């Protein structure tokens, strides 16, 4: 069953990026840099932790964060620097079923937007290199990156901003994210919401809302 009433017929789809369309994972990079799996896992668990990186999705500065972390871990400066210098390599792998979904929706002229909690520099990446490495990105009419705009999911401000940038009302859109708290945040602003758990489930819920998925 779809999470929203079948009577609700949004016309715009807003996608999250990591975990839905792109398999963001530092291991895609660090397996190239640290040949021993256990050593790599220890580095990611103790040095470039998820908590350290997540701060850059909000109001942190990657360059400052890198220098501060390097000062705490002498001898690992080059490995720490690689995290943001080669960040695009962590984003090299996509989830084909959902990127194919974007292709179908885009080809059907459905208005598409991307909304991601991510470091600010990814705004330029999405508008430039990503359009070549990941052609499905071209189907999005605009991109909202938390570190670039200064607000973030699940706060209402970033959903309101997305609607203003796209020129649509919250009730006109459905938001897709693999984090339930973010979906709940979108619903609180008036959007429809789909908690992404599998491509099949997301496609089924979009079809129930009337989209050509």
């Amino acid at each position: 069953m779809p999470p929203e009433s079948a009577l609700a017929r949004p016309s715009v789809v807003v996608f999250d990026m990591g975990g839905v369309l792109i398999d963001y994972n530092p291991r895609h990079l660090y397996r190239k840099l640290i040949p021993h799996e256990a050593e790599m896992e220890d580095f990611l668990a103790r040095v470039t932790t998820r908590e350290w990186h997540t701060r850059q999705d909000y109001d942190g500065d990657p360059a400052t964060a890198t220098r501060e972390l390097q000062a705490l871990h002498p001898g690992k400066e080059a490995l720490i620097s690689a995290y943001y210098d080669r960040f695009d390599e962590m984003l090299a792998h996509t989830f084909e079923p959902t990127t194919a979904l974007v292709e179908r929706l885009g080809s059907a002229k459905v208005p598409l937007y991307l909304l991601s909690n991510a470091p600010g520099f990814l705004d330029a990446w999405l508008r430039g290199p990503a359009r070549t490495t990941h052609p499905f990105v071209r189907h999005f009419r605009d991109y909202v990156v938390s570190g670039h705009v200064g607000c973030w999911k699940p706060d209402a401000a970033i959903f309101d901003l997305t609607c203003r940038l796209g020129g649509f009302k919250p009730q006109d859109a459905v938001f897709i994210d693999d984090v339930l708290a973010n979906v709940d945040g979108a619903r609180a602003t008036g959007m429809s919401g789909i908690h992404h758990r599998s491509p099949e489930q997301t496609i089924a819920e979009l079809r129930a809302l009337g989209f050509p998925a």
Side-chain angles (χ1 to χ4, degrees), residues 12 14 21 26 60 70 73 75-76 82-83 90 96 98 103 106 132 143-144 158 166 187 190 192 197 199 208 213:
V12 176
V14 182
L21 300 172
Q70 287 171 327
H73 298 278
K76 298 187 183 298
Y83 197 98
M90 304 182 198
E96 194 279 333
T98 46
E103 296 277 2
T132 299
Y143 315 93
V144 179
I158 200 163
R187 288 172 175 161
S192 298
R197 285 153 289 180

Side-chain angles (χ1 to χ4, degrees), residues 75-211:
K76 298 187 183 298
E77 291 87 352
L79 287 173
I80 293 168
S81 180
Y83 197 98
Y84 289 119
D85 288 348
R86 299 173 62 175
F87 197 80
D88 59 328
E89 294 177 53
M90 304 182 198
L91 304 171
H93 299 267
T94 63
F95 296 114
E96 194 279 333
T98 46
T99 60
L101 169 63
V102 169
E103 296 277 2
R104 291 196 299 275
L105 292 170
S107 296
K109 308 302 181 185
V110 174
L112 302 177
Y113 294 83
L114 190 68
L115 169 54
S116 179
N117 280 356
F121 63 81
L122 281 189
D123 182 83
W125 179 76
L126 285 164
R127 298 176 192 279
R131 296 170 68 86
T132 299
T133 57
H134 300 313
F136 76 90
V137 169
R138 301 178 187 181
H139 286 287
F140 292 101
R141 298 189 178 186
D142 210 344
Y143 315 93
V144 179
V145 175
S146 64
H148 181 70
V149 300
C151 50
W152 36 81
K153 301 176 290 185
D155 294 353
I158 200 163
F159 297 108
D160 293 340
L161 175 62
T162 302
C163 292
R164 292 199 307 273
L165 290 174
F168 55 86
K169 297 177 181 178
Q171 59 265 33
D172 295 332
V174 56
F175 175 63
I176 301 170
D177 199 305
D178 62 318
V179 177
L180 181 58
N182 294 337
V183 176
D184 288 341
R187 288 172 175 161
T189 69
M191 288 184 175
S192 298
I194 294 175
H195 180 206
H196 177 77
R197 285 153 289 180
S198 72
E200 295 78 14
Q201 159 259 330
T202 293
I203 290 168
E205 294 192 23
L206 281 173
R207 287 175 177 167
L209 289 170
F211 287 98

Side-chain angles (χ1 to χ4, degrees), residues 52 56 60-70 80 84-85 121:
W52 172 76
Q56 316 330 313
D61 172 63
T64 300
T66 296
R67 290 194 298 270
E68 292 175 347
L69 198 64
Q70 287 171 327
I80 293 168
Y84 289 119
D85 288 348
F121 63 81

Side-chain angles (χ1 to χ4, degrees), residues 9 50 62 111 149 170 188:
R9 294 296 184 189
R50 182 176 179 85
V149 300

